[in-house]
Amino acid sequence: MIKVYRFRREVPHHAPMDSHAEGQAFVLTEGAIRIGVAARTWVLTTGRLCWIPPHVVHGFTSQGPVAGISVKVSLPDLPPEPGVLAPAPF
């Protein structure tokens, strides 16, 4: 199963800590967010990719407008560790 959706928040937003059965990857097209995963915190900026494995508790906060694309996936052998990655150059 793969679900893709766009999101946009025009004002600061806080998504409380939660988890879900699917893995989630998302990339921002505008703005920045602070992501909390267990004892880790990352800042996700435009063009970077964040990966949250299935069942990992996470939440985020934005300080202003933010937009991006989220993909939730339910497939075998998904990466087990969360992280923020820079895109590889073409």
Side-chain angles (χ1 to χ4, degrees):
M1 185 266 320
I2 298 175
K3 296 181 200 172
V4 179
Y5 60 94
R6 291 184 176 272
F7 60 89
R8 173 174 291 282
R9 303 275 187 204
E10 297 297 334
V11 297
H13 180 71
H14 173 73
M17 300 295 272
D18 75 343
S19 68
H20 32 78
E22 307 91 356
Q24 183 177 16
F26 53 97
V27 64
L28 297 180
T29 56
E30 178 184 332
I33 59 174
R34 185 175 60 241
I35 303 165
V37 177
R40 301 178 199 167
T41 301
W42 295 290
V43 174
L44 182 66
T45 55
T46 302
R48 297 179 67 102
L49 174 75
C50 180
W51 168 249
I52 307 293
H55 308 289
V56 171
V57 177
H58 61 285
F60 75 85
T61 302
S62 70
Q63 299 299 316
V66 65
I69 299 168
S70 175
V71 179
K72 287 187 177 179
V73 294
S74 252
L75 300 169
D77 301 322
L78 293 172
E81 292 297 318
V84 172
L85 309 166
F90 288 95

